[in-house]
Amino acid sequence: MADVATGSFEVSIKPLVFEGAADQAKTGRMSIDKTISGDLTATTQGQMLTAMTETPGSAGYVAIEHVTGTLAGHDGSFTLQHSATMNRGVPSMSISVVPDSGTGALKGLTGDFKINIVDGKHLYAFNYRLGDN
């Protein structure tokens, strides 16, 4: 059975140059840095690629985010892979641990990271399993 870590996070997103993008393309690249608190205490660094459309409420993004911190008393790092779309206002998001990306006491970590934004506050539920160290 998987364990669940919950808490909140602060996020800083800053635009970066998207090299080679056509002038008319509605694409972007951003840095994404988080400070996570709760059952997972960590900082992250990552980058996100975005695509907007002419249709209000439709867009997509992918991101890779390196997480360093402590989960259930285990210190180490791991990488999260994001894939998300917004289809005319209906969101679909998948964020999962990149296989075999765990280091230190988080070696073998697997899991899915869910984000929920309530009244402007970023909350998470991280369903995870710690592997054999």
Side-chain angles (χ1 to χ4, degrees):
M1 181 186 324
D3 290 308
V4 180
T6 61
S8 62
F9 63 90
E10 299 292 326
V11 62
S12 172
I13 298 174
K14 297 179 182 163
L16 299 171
V17 173
F18 194 152
E19 297 166 350
D23 289 340
Q24 70 276 14
K26 294 184 175 288
T27 55
R29 183 170 75 103
M30 296 175 222
S31 68
I32 180 170
D33 301 300
K34 292 180 185 160
T35 302
I36 302 173
S37 59
D39 298 329
L40 170 63
T41 303
T43 57
T44 77
Q45 291 184 311
Q47 289 195 13
M48 172 190 309
L49 299 177
T50 62
M52 304 300 288
T53 71
E54 295 292 332
T55 303
S58 292
Y61 87 86
V62 294
I64 294 291
E65 184 175 20
H66 188 73
V67 181
T68 304
T70 304
L71 174 63
H74 297 83
D75 295 331
S77 66
F78 58 95
T79 301
L80 290 173
Q81 179 176 320
H82 300 232
S83 178
T85 58
M86 182 76 77
N87 185 352
R88 299 181 182 207
V90 178
S92 175
M93 181 182 295
S94 172
I95 305 171
S96 57
V97 175
V98 172
D100 299 314
S101 65
T103 68
L106 297 177
K107 186 174 182 180
L109 177 72
T110 61
D112 296 305
F113 196 90
K114 308 287 185 211
I115 295 174
N116 192 17
I117 302 172
V118 178
D119 296 328
K121 185 171 183 174
H122 291 81
L123 306 173
Y124 71 86
F126 184 26
N127 296 303
Y128 69 93
R129 288 180 187 232
L130 287 171
D132 296 332
N133 292 322

